[in-house]
Amino acid sequence: MDTNTLDLRAIEQVVATVERTQRAKDAEGFLALFHPDALWTTAHGRVLVGFDEIAEFTRAVLPDAVWSGDVTYEPIHVRFLRQDVAAVKIRQVYHAPTGDTEGSPLYVMTKTSDDRWLLHVGQNTEVRTD
C-alpha cells in the first residue's frame, strides 16, 4: 500500500473519530485530535485560537449540547498541499426528527513526526437552504 493511501485512510479515521466523539459528546476524545497550535472557527463564527481556547470552549459546550438525532461527517474531498499538510472538505449532516441540516467544514490537517494526522485549522460553515 502506498503512502498516499495510508495517509488517506488515516485522515478518514480522524474524521470518523470527530463523528464518534461528537455523537458521544466526548470532549476529551475530540480534543485529542487537535494540534497544539490549532485555529478553529465554529459554524456560528466563534474563533478559537490555540488548544487552550478550543479546549475551554469544547469542555463547556459539548458535554451539555442538546440535539435529537445523529450527526454524520463524510470527507468528500482531500487535497494534499504538501505530503504533511492536507485540506479536507467535509459534508456534515445533522439528522433530526424535524429534518436534516448541513454544515460544510474545511479542515487543514497536519502530519506529525510520529505519522499522526491532527486538526490544525477548522472552519465550519452552516449550509442554508433558504
Side-chain angles (χ1 to χ4, degrees), residues 1-10 80 83 111 115 117:
M1 190 174 318
D2 67 8
T3 302
N4 198 37
T5 301
L6 290 173
D7 286 331
L8 282 171
R9 286 189 178 170
F80 287 95
Q83 66 187 117
K111 188 175 181 179
D115 291 333
W117 283 93

Side-chain angles (χ1 to χ4, degrees), residues 11-19 73-75 88 90 107 109:
I11 287 168
E12 289 169 354
Q13 267 311 114
V14 171
V15 175
T17 303
V18 169
E19 178 179 304
Y73 291 77
E74 176 188 6
V88 183
I90 305 294
Y107 301 157
M109 298 176 66

